[in-house]
Amino acid sequence: MKIGYPCINRTVQCLGNKTFRLKSYSEEKLKETIQNNLNCLDKILEFNLSHGLMFFRMASDMVPFASHPVCEFSWQTEFQEKFRRIGAVIKAHGFRISMHPDQFVLINAKDINIFQRSVKELIYHAQLLDLMELDQTAKIQIHVGGVYNDKPNSIKRFIKRYHTLDDSIKKRLALENDHRSYSLADCMIIHRETGVPIIFDTLHHQVLNNGELMGDALKTAAQTWGEKDGLPMVDYSSQKPDAKKGNHALSIDLDDFSHFLSLKGELDFDIMLEIKDKEASALKAAQLI
DNA sequence: ATCGGTCAAGGGGCA
DNA sequence: TGCCCCTTGACCGAT
């Protein structure tokens, strides 16, 4: 079981992913930004290694505008060697890696243009992981997408589109249950038709479910992971007290986390902590396992 | 110096 | 149909 946190480290004195707006785009600035992001990733991995945090979600804006028409620069060639070196570090130490494209990646979009843009964005994510020469245990996680007032057909459209995706995407894709539209049971329908592994999100499940007990749900999702996919991934977060349902807590609630761990039984999986204070909570959680 | 609107990209809920 | 919300954090620019 590996513990991780997403994208940002508040301890390491290195700011990756600095604001980069389309208006200020230039190839020069793009190169500087990528170089800076890679340096920060290096430092964060170093921090994680020395603190035993072996699961990390890489930020999607490692290469800003990578799938946007404005980007005609071959970042793949320019930074190939650097990506390969970071990948070697990841493999040497056994880090688990995931990525999570933003909500506008919609495989089941009604608008074919949105689907096509989504594919480009997924290709970018896959290229990044391929350049690092990581195997298919490094996952790209997304949500099912929109409902469009017709969930059965939106699910069908997801499945149909999924089958058209390039293999480099399919082997890395994982689906996460969300808290508004697609529950674990909905994701399972898609899993049965595609084999796509399901990342179980604990808080989303608490907000949107079909009456399954947490422990059973965890097991159901874990069974969707094949041999090549590696250990199941789980997104854990706790509810922010007194806030709207689904809001992430500022810091980990260790009692709640212990309770969650007690539900897992014999299961093993890697846990991504989606909590505001990032590595601080991950460090506390890592002490418990 | 500070603060808040804004940023490539979408969808859902509600009035 | 139009507006605001989700969710993120940094930064741009107005004051």
Side-chain angles (χ1 to χ4, degrees), chain A residues 168-204:
Chain A
S168 68
I169 297 173
K170 276 192 285 194
K171 71 179 185 185
R172 297 196 187 280
L173 213 57
L175 267 188
E176 176 193 350
N177 59 303
D178 68 77
H179 66 289
R180 200 166 55 186
S181 307
Y182 292 96
S183 66
L184 173 64
D186 296 324
C187 292
M188 288 303 291
I189 297 171
I190 296 172
H191 164 74
R192 286 191 285 271
E193 298 294 326
T194 60
V196 66
I198 309 298
I199 296 180
F200 181 62
D201 185 298
T202 62
L203 184 55
H204 291 166

Side-chain angles (χ1 to χ4, degrees), chain A residues 124-255:
Chain A
Y124 150 63
H125 281 77
Q127 277 182 340
L128 205 62
L129 298 169
D130 284 346
L131 282 168
M132 292 184 177
E133 298 176 349
L134 303 180
D135 63 23
Q136 77 179 70
T137 66
K139 292 300 185 194
I140 300 169
Q141 71 183 92
I142 58 170
H143 295 288
V144 179
V147 173
Y148 310 97
N149 294 315
D150 184 352
K151 193 186 273 189
N153 269 313
S154 294
I155 287 177
K156 272 188 203 158
R157 196 164 51 249
F158 183 100
I159 293 165
K160 203 171 140 200
R161 296 251 178 88
Y162 176 91
H163 288 301
T164 71
L165 296 174
D166 193 275
D167 209 49
S168 68
I169 297 173
K170 276 192 285 194
K171 71 179 185 185
R172 297 196 187 280
L173 213 57
L175 267 188
E176 176 193 350
N177 59 303
D178 68 77
H179 66 289
R180 200 166 55 186
S181 307
Y182 292 96
S183 66
L184 173 64
D186 296 324
C187 292
M188 288 303 291
I189 297 171
I190 296 172
H191 164 74
R192 286 191 285 271
E193 298 294 326
T194 60
V196 66
I198 309 298
I199 296 180
F200 181 62
D201 185 298
T202 62
L203 184 55
H204 291 166
H205 182 75
Q206 283 167 7
V207 177
L208 179 70
N209 60 66
N210 296 269
E212 313 94 327
L213 296 173
M214 180 74 84
D216 295 338
L218 199 53
K219 194 183 287 181
T220 300
Q223 284 166 350
T224 64
W225 290 69
E227 188 75 23
K228 288 182 178 170
D229 296 318
L231 278 188
M233 290 179 179
V234 170
D235 284 353
Y236 169 86
S237 58
S238 32
Q239 171 68 36
K240 182 177 178 183
D242 304 322
K244 193 182 266 189
K245 259 180 138 183
N247 281 16
H248 290 171
L250 299 179
S251 185
I252 191 167
D253 176 341
L254 286 177
D255 288 338

